[in-house]
Amino acid sequence: MNQDWEDRVAALWDRFDDYAETEEDEARFRADVDALVAELPEGSPLGPFEQAGAWDATGHSDKAVPLYREALDLGLARVSPYKARRTKIQLASSLRNIGQAAEGVELLEAELDAPSDELDDPVRYFLALCLSSLGRDREALSLALGALAPHMARYQRSAAYYAQALVEPGEQPEA
């Protein structure tokens, strides 16, 4: 779609917190998303992507999952690789919410090998949540701490080592 449409979608999401948390207001937000989606050409993967996000943001992961899948099936990666990666993150989170964390792990583990971008940390964050939901807490903690290590002003090397050592014990680094 054009930049004007993208800007209006972004502006709607920027106002999301203005919608109260009542079911009526959440329905109004989803209707506003649907109105923007109605402007898209038929078969655009952007429509189900935005609708899934609206259902997800209003607490309906079960309704978001099929829409995320549809967006990917319709070729969202061709239209926007960035939004496709966001979709995988959001889909994995929603899958975890509906008791399908193993599928979320599968989706996000594949994203660990994707070209690096600003979504690397969210991939690791939601992967850690999925792992924890599966009782794989040491792996989750290792992943979360490993993601945090590069952001530390000091102790990066030690922090990265200790994070890895949670799942692969070895010698301690030199101080």
Side-chain angles (χ1 to χ4, degrees), residues 9 16 18 34 36 45 49 96 118 130 136-137 140 151-152:
V9 169
F16 178 72
D18 294 343
D34 289 344
L36 287 168
F49 167 75
R96 183 186 75 83
E118 68 188 45
C130 288
R136 296 165 58 183
D137 293 327
H151 301 285
M152 298 174 67

Side-chain angles (χ1 to χ4, degrees), residues 5 9 12-13 16 19 27-40 46-47 49-55:
W5 185 86
V9 169
L12 178 59
W13 280 103
F16 178 72
Y19 291 81
R28 188 168 46 90
F29 176 76
R30 290 190 304 269
D32 290 347
V33 169
D34 289 344
L36 287 168
V37 167
E39 298 176 21
L40 293 169
L46 295 172
F49 167 75
E50 294 299 342
Q51 290 169 318
W55 280 109

Side-chain angles (χ1 to χ4, degrees), residues 6-72:
E6 292 283 352
D7 290 344
R8 289 184 291 130
V9 169
L12 178 59
W13 280 103
D14 286 345
R15 293 190 314 272
F16 178 72
D17 288 337
D18 294 343
Y19 291 81
E21 293 185 17
T22 67
E23 286 185 33
E24 181 179 281
D25 288 332
E26 290 172 349
R28 188 168 46 90
F29 176 76
R30 290 190 304 269
D32 290 347
V33 169
D34 289 344
L36 287 168
V37 167
E39 298 176 21
L40 293 169
E42 187 174 329
S44 171
L46 295 172
F49 167 75
E50 294 299 342
Q51 290 169 318
W55 280 109
D56 217 357
T58 57
H60 299 278
S61 294
D62 58 324
K63 294 186 191 259
V65 166
L67 290 165
Y68 286 134
R69 291 185 198 281
E70 181 182 352
L72 292 171

Side-chain angles (χ1 to χ4, degrees), residues 20-147:
E21 293 185 17
T22 67
E23 286 185 33
E24 181 179 281
D25 288 332
E26 290 172 349
R28 188 168 46 90
F29 176 76
R30 290 190 304 269
D32 290 347
V33 169
D34 289 344
L36 287 168
V37 167
E39 298 176 21
L40 293 169
E42 187 174 329
S44 171
L46 295 172
F49 167 75
E50 294 299 342
Q51 290 169 318
W55 280 109
D56 217 357
T58 57
H60 299 278
S61 294
D62 58 324
K63 294 186 191 259
V65 166
L67 290 165
Y68 286 134
R69 291 185 198 281
E70 181 182 352
L72 292 171
D73 290 345
L74 287 172
L76 185 58
R78 287 188 312 274
V79 174
S80 173
Y82 181 79
K83 286 185 180 182
R85 194 165 195 218
R86 283 182 50 204
T87 299
K88 292 173 188 175
I89 293 167
Q90 293 166 210
L91 173 56
S93 177
S94 292
L95 287 165
R96 183 186 75 83
N97 289 339
I98 63 170
Q100 298 176 20
E103 190 177 347
V105 167
E106 187 178 314
L107 271 171
L108 294 179
E109 281 181 337
E111 286 302 304
L112 292 174
D113 296 327
S116 184
D117 63 18
E118 68 188 45
L119 297 174
D120 290 352
D121 287 340
V123 164
R124 285 169 175 77
Y125 175 91
F126 287 101
L127 177 53
L129 284 176
C130 288
L131 289 167
S132 182
S133 291
L134 295 172
R136 296 165 58 183
D137 293 327
R138 285 184 73 87
E139 287 177 73
L141 181 60
S142 172
L143 191 65
L145 292 176

Side-chain angles (χ1 to χ4, degrees), residues 161-162 165 169-175:
Y161 167 80
Y162 290 131
E171 291 184 31
Q172 292 188 9
E174 295 179 20

